[in-house]
Amino acid sequence: MKAIELHQYGSEDELEYKDIPQPEIIYGELLIRIKATSVNHLEVMVASGKMKENMPIDFPWIPGYDFAGIVERAPDTQDKYLPDDEVYAKCIGGSYVEFISVKQDILARKPATMDFSEAACVPHVGLTAWQALYEHGALQRDQKVLIHSAAGGVGMFAVQFAKYAGAFVYGSAGETDKEFVKSLGADVVIDYKGEDFTQVAKEVDLVIDLVGGNTQVRSFGVLRKGGRLVTTTGKIDDKAKEFDIKATTMVVHPDGSSLEEITELITEGKVRADVARVYPLSAATEAWKTFEDKTEISKSIRHGKIVLEV
């Protein structure tokens, strides 16, 4: 089968498109024929070596943390999915391939309202947003939430989920993305370059920090006493100790049950994905360059996910 492999830490130029053996199914797993996968910030960072202290990898390494596809083979030990069922999932890695073997508990049925490319945009970033808001952020109706990088892959889902939950949503984004973030349901959109979010968002119950650094530090002051900050950036600044808040670092995990809940919202038209551009798997190098803003095409893309069709 065709796959993308990395044989040493480096940039997108180290990615190789090659033939590798099809995976063997171990007990209880299903074989999925992948139709599409998406480019996420995580695999680009892992490949660069910047995360090797916390997330070391063994080479050759196959990138990819989510997919949409079709059940090719299902074991007799389960009866939830059958061959030809359309599914999608957040996985622990290795989705830049034609076939992948996975446990059924990470899977959910692909939304009938989405094609495979659209569905592939959802699992990794959608579950990150879901777990940040609900598992770590304990978001409740009528609370106020500030979501940084609200036009990004995780941010756009966080805005939609939070609004659906009945929260008042502040979203910080670039000036050119303000209308997009408003269309997702944000009550107030803050231009992170032209406005000071600490002067707009006050007494917030929850901050979703997808940026880190000084943005995180300044966010401590907008939270009410006892409020929460959830970050995906890997570190809580020591200054958090000066505030009466709960600050948490999270790492997303596969979860088919939560993905099924997200599927319901998508099917009901309450949540949508955003595809920026689609590449064939063989063009993964070019796709990563677009993702990292290294091409002329990328300069015309303001938001949305990059997809690889398999």
Side-chain angles (χ1 to χ4, degrees):
M1 69 174 183
K2 296 295 186 182
I4 296 293
E5 281 191 346
L6 188 74
H7 290 260
Q8 62 183 17
Y9 287 116
S11 68
E12 66 280 345
D13 292 321
E14 302 294 336
L15 299 176
E16 296 182 29
Y17 182 62
K18 59 187 301 183
D19 288 299
I20 66 170
Q22 186 172 305
E24 297 290 334
I25 301 178
I26 63 173
Y27 181 80
E29 289 189 338
L30 298 87
L31 185 68
I32 310 298
R33 179 187 293 271
I34 293 181
K35 301 291 288 183
T37 181
S38 73
V39 178
N40 294 289
H41 181 65
L42 180 58
E43 56 249 38
V44 176
M45 290 296 290
V46 169
S48 72
K50 294 177 181 178
M51 299 179 67
K52 60 184 174 182
E53 283 191 16
N54 297 319
M55 293 185 68
I57 55 178
D58 295 323
F59 297 107
W61 176 72
I62 299 172
Y65 290 99
D66 51 13
F67 63 84
I70 299 171
V71 176
E72 182 79 4
R73 198 180 311 156
D76 296 334
T77 53
Q78 64 85 46
D79 57 7
K80 186 173 182 179
Y81 300 105
L82 299 172
D84 297 327
D85 284 350
E86 297 181 350
V87 295
Y88 69 153
K90 150 69 184 159
C91 59
I92 60 173
S95 64
Y96 284 25
V97 291
E98 287 187 288
F99 293 94
I100 192 170
S101 57
V102 297
K103 297 286 189 182
Q104 73 166 27
D105 60 359
I106 75 166
L107 294 169
R109 296 189 185 279
K110 179 182 74 66
T113 54
M114 285 183 163
D115 61 27
F116 288 104
S117 292
E118 291 172 314
C121 292
V122 177
H124 180 78
V125 292
L127 283 172
T128 301
W130 188 272
Q131 291 167 19
L133 289 168
Y134 304 128
E135 292 184 16
H136 301 280
L139 182 67
Q140 302 292 319
R141 178 172 291 277
D142 297 326
Q143 287 189 331
K144 294 192 291 184
V145 57
L146 168 61
I147 299 165
H148 290 299
S149 190
V154 176
M156 70 164 288
F157 280 100
V159 169
Q160 293 178 90
F161 295 156
K163 194 60 187 174
Y164 174 76
F168 186 93
V169 181
Y170 296 96
S172 69
E175 173 64 30
T176 57
D177 287 324
K178 289 185 75 169
E179 289 305 314
F180 172 68
V181 176
K182 282 183 181 179
S183 76
L184 299 173
D187 296 284
V188 176
V189 185
I190 305 164
D191 174 10
Y192 77 94
K193 288 185 177 180
E195 300 176 80
D196 182 354
F197 72 84
T198 66
Q199 299 303 307
V200 180
K202 303 283 188 179
E203 292 293 297
V204 171
D205 298 280
L206 173 63
V207 172
I208 303 299
D209 168 37
L210 307 171
V211 179
N214 189 50
T215 296
Q216 181 189 112
V217 173
R218 294 169 64 221
S219 295
F220 299 147
V222 308
L223 284 159
R224 63 167 175 80
K225 288 185 177 180
R228 296 170 180 258
L229 180 141
V230 179
T231 185
T232 61
T233 63
K235 182 182 178 182
I236 299 295
D237 193 279
D238 290 340
K239 290 185 180 178
K241 299 172 185 176
E242 301 172 13
F243 297 84
D244 184 11
I245 62 171
K246 182 177 181 179
T248 305
T249 294
M250 68 157 287
V251 177
V252 62
H253 58 86
D255 183 354
S257 295
S258 294
L259 193 55
E260 287 176 348
E261 294 187 63
I262 294 171
T263 301
E264 287 186 25
L265 297 180
I266 292 170
T267 303
E268 293 169 2
K270 294 169 181 173
V271 170
R272 71 179 193 261
D274 185 31
V275 180
R277 192 168 179 83
V278 178
Y279 290 89
L281 182 65
S282 58
T285 295
E286 185 179 354
W288 278 27
K289 286 181 178 179
T290 299
F291 179 82
E292 297 180 277
D293 197 25
K294 295 179 180 179
T295 69
E296 286 303 313
I297 291 172
S298 67
K299 292 175 174 54
S300 67
I301 297 174
R302 297 209 306 261
H303 48 74
K305 291 204 73 182
I306 307 296
V307 175
L308 296 171
E309 286 189 342
V310 183

